[in-house]
Amino acid sequence: QVRLVESGGGLVQAGGSLRLSCAASGRTFSTYAMGWFRQAPGKEREFVAVINWSGGSTDYADSVKGRFTISRDNAKNTVYLQMNSLKPEDTAVYYCNAVYFSDYKPIGPWGQGTQVTVSS
């Protein structure tokens, strides 16, 4: 089973950038598609971005297309989320997880997440 630790969150002004990291343990990391999700206060957790096992295919929620970029480094067992042009509505706790690339549903347990706060 893959264990996940998210980091890189923080407080940033609107229009700013952050780069989130998700470090995974386990020898099977490179065989999984990986996704980023977020949960804002009082809202359901929602899909943000996904990357397939090799990094050759990605997909994004409409709300972040053109602003966020997901990538991975299988040698480092890490997946990243580069977030540019941040908006106050991007404020949320961000989580990563292994996912089924067919439907983006999470596979394993959630980590602790990393808080992103965007001020206006």
Side-chain angles (χ1 to χ4, degrees):
Q1 193 173 26
V2 176
R3 294 188 179 89
L4 307 162
V5 178
E6 301 92 341
S7 63
L11 174 63
V12 63
Q13 287 189 330
S17 298
L18 283 173
R19 189 193 195 203
L20 306 184
S21 298
C22 170
S25 64
R27 294 176 295 173
T28 59
F29 170 80
S30 62
T31 67
Y32 288 103
M34 295 295 296
W36 282 98
F37 299 78
R38 66 187 182 186
Q39 187 167 20
K43 294 189 176 181
E44 297 287 321
R45 185 150 31 201
E46 64 177 2
F47 165 78
V48 173
V50 65
I51 189 167
N52 77 332
W53 68 274
S54 69
S57 291
T58 59
D59 196 17
Y60 299 89
D62 288 343
S63 59
V64 307
K65 269 181 188 174
R67 300 188 298 121
F68 290 11
T69 303
I70 188 171
S71 61
R72 68 188 297 160
D73 185 338
N74 285 343
K76 295 182 178 179
N77 276 15
T78 302
V79 62
Y80 305 97
L81 186 68
Q82 178 66 44
M83 306 187 297
N84 298 329
S85 302
L86 282 161
K87 304 176 181 179
E89 51 264 44
D90 295 318
T91 295
V93 179
Y94 283 72
Y95 302 87
C96 66
N97 209 330
V99 299
Y100 297 106
F101 197 71
S102 57
D103 59 12
Y104 307 164
K105 287 186 177 179
I107 294 173
W110 296 101
Q112 84 288 348
T114 186
Q115 175 71 48
V116 172
T117 302
V118 184
S119 63
S120 56

